[in-house]
């Protein structure tokens, strides 16, 4: 590939440019993606690691900028994804390790970073089918919890995530890291509590909500008769009344120890694998 070594002018999309300065405006723009406001304004987010970038491109996500460290230059997979990014109209930057470390805010950064366009699935377009499971999260606050839930939902074979109310950003660097690439594999929708309730009434789903006041053992619920939406509450406050009363079942996970609650990601994982137990086997892979 031919590199544009010019220090003047703004590089065009579909080309490769070497960047060594932290004050370069493109690098400043990428670093600003650590701020939600800038992610929202540009509808962009960052993903680290060669495998994540390859997976994202394979799944059809739109790449805006590919950044790789000089140490990665010449590696066949890096050359291939750089060529693919250029072919798709993306900008490719070859940078120093200092620059990529600053971008990722890591001392030992990944050698490849991709800047992708955010993508949300409209809730109205989600029409769950037989055997499908979705996870709805009410006002989830912790990026690590959200990322772990997305990763777990992917592993369990869930079909998507619905974020209800004001939630943490699924495209923050912390969340994307915690998903280990699963953010690219599952559609994510957003909705207010009112929109979610209207949707569930017309979607032909069984909503199973976890609740401390739940009277049903989560292991006794019939998860086979309809597509299932697992509705999980906020880490501190749990589910609000307006969502809990609309659920088809209020479930509880039995506990025996001194702890009075479970971590949200752990509880979601337990619910997911129980809801999909009849659909999972060791022969699938």
């Amino acid at each position: 590939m031919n590199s544009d070594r010019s220090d003047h002018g703004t590089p065009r999309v579909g080309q490769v440019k070497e960047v060594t300065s932290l004050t370069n405006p493109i690098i400043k723009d990428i670093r600003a993606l650590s701020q939600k406001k800038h992610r929202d304004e540009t509808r962009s987010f960052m993903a680290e690691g060669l495998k994540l970038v390859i997976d994202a491109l394979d799944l059809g996500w739109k790449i805006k900028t590919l950044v790789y460290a000089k140490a990665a230059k010449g590696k066949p997979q890096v050359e291939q994804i750089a060529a693919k990014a250029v072919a798709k109209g993306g900008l490719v930057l070859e940078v120093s390790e200092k620059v990529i470390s600053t971008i990722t805010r890591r001392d030992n950064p990944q050698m490849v970073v991709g800047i992708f366009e955010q993508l949300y699935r409209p809730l109205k377009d989600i029409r769950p089918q037989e055997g499908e499971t979705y996870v709805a999260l009410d006002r989830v606050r912790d990026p690590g919890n959200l990322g772990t839930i997305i990763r777990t939902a992917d592993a369990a074979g869930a079909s998507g995530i619905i974020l209800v109310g004001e939630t943490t950003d699924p495209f923050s660097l912390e969340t994307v890291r915690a998903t280990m690439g699963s953010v690219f594999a599952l559609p994510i929708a957003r909705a207010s509590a009112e929109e979610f309730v209207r949707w569930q009434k017309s979607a032909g789903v069984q909503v199973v909500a976890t609740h401390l006041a739940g009277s049903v053992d989560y292991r006794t619920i019939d998860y086979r008769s309809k597509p299932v939406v697992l509705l999980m509450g906020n880490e501190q406050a749990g589910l609000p009344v307006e969502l809990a009363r609309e659920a088809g079942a209020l479930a509880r996970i039995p506990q025996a120890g001194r702890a009075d609650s479970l971590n949200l990601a752990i509880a979601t994982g337990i619910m997911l694998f129980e809801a999909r137990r009849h659909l999972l086997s060791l022969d699938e892979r």
Side-chain angles (χ1 to χ4, degrees):
M1 291 178 295
N2 295 321
S3 296
D4 177 5
R5 305 294 180 181
S6 171
D7 292 327
H8 305 288
T10 302
R12 301 180 306 277
V13 295
Q15 70 175 98
V16 182
K17 181 177 176 63
E18 182 179 356
V19 177
T20 58
S21 172
L22 293 176
T23 61
N24 182 286
I26 306 171
I27 300 302
K28 286 184 174 180
D29 197 49
I30 293 173
R31 291 175 65 186
L33 291 175
S34 62
Q35 304 164 19
K36 185 178 186 303
K37 179 182 178 182
H38 190 70
R39 290 194 300 273
D40 289 345
E41 288 174 350
T42 61
R43 296 183 60 205
S44 305
F45 70 103
M46 183 191 308
E48 305 164 87
L50 179 61
K51 183 182 183 302
L52 264 65
V53 173
I54 290 173
D55 288 349
L57 289 174
D58 287 346
L59 289 167
W61 285 69
K62 181 178 179 180
I63 190 166
K64 293 185 172 183
T65 306
L66 176 73
V67 184
Y68 65 84
K70 288 184 180 181
K73 186 177 182 180
K75 294 184 177 181
Q77 284 189 310
V78 174
E79 292 290 317
Q80 288 168 14
I81 62 168
K84 195 169 185 179
V86 168
K88 290 180 176 293
L91 173 66
V92 178
L93 304 179
E94 178 185 314
V95 303
S96 65
E97 189 168 328
K98 181 179 179 181
V99 170
I100 207 163
S101 179
T102 302
I103 288 172
T104 61
R105 297 179 292 165
R106 286 180 182 260
D107 292 332
N108 296 300
Q110 297 276 355
M111 292 293 99
V112 176
V113 171
I115 310 303
F116 292 90
E117 184 175 298
Q118 294 184 14
L119 180 63
Y120 286 99
R121 174 80 60 84
L123 184 61
K124 63 181 177 60
D125 291 348
I126 295 179
R127 287 289 175 257
Q129 303 300 307
E130 181 180 352
E132 288 191 333
T133 310
Y134 285 79
V135 178
L137 301 168
D138 172 57
R139 296 167 298 148
V140 57
R141 299 296 191 196
D142 184 82
N145 273 341
L146 178 54
T148 301
I149 289 168
I150 292 171
R151 180 184 179 186
T152 305
D154 183 18
S159 297
I161 305 290
I162 302 169
L163 302 178
V164 182
E166 292 296 321
T167 71
T168 192
D169 185 359
F171 297 114
S172 73
L173 187 55
E174 294 81 1
T175 301
V176 173
R177 279 174 179 163
T179 73
M180 297 293 287
S182 291
V183 69
F184 296 113
L186 286 182
I188 298 174
R190 295 179 293 185
S192 66
E194 295 77 15
E195 288 169 338
F196 175 76
V197 169
R198 287 198 300 270
W199 172 83
Q200 75 172 68
K201 289 178 178 178
S202 63
V205 296
Q206 175 181 211
V207 176
V208 178
T210 55
H211 202 285
L212 288 176
S215 58
V216 182
D217 187 321
Y218 80 107
R219 296 167 296 186
T220 66
I221 294 171
D222 176 14
Y223 296 102
R224 300 171 183 247
S225 58
K226 291 182 178 181
V228 173
V229 177
L230 298 175
L231 177 57
M232 311 296 294
N234 169 270
E235 290 96 336
Q236 283 77 41
L239 278 179
V241 174
E242 59 267 28
L243 287 177
R245 70 187 174 203
E246 298 293 342
L250 290 182
R252 193 154 46 122
I253 300 171
Q255 296 175 225
R258 292 177 60 87
D260 59 3
S261 63
L262 289 170
N263 168 272
L264 177 61
I266 296 293
T268 305
I270 291 171
M271 294 294 297
L272 266 167
F273 278 91
E274 179 62 26
R276 296 193 58 76
R277 181 158 59 99
H278 64 288
L279 297 166
L280 298 174
S281 75
L282 292 178
D283 298 328
E284 286 192 357
R285 293 188 177 185

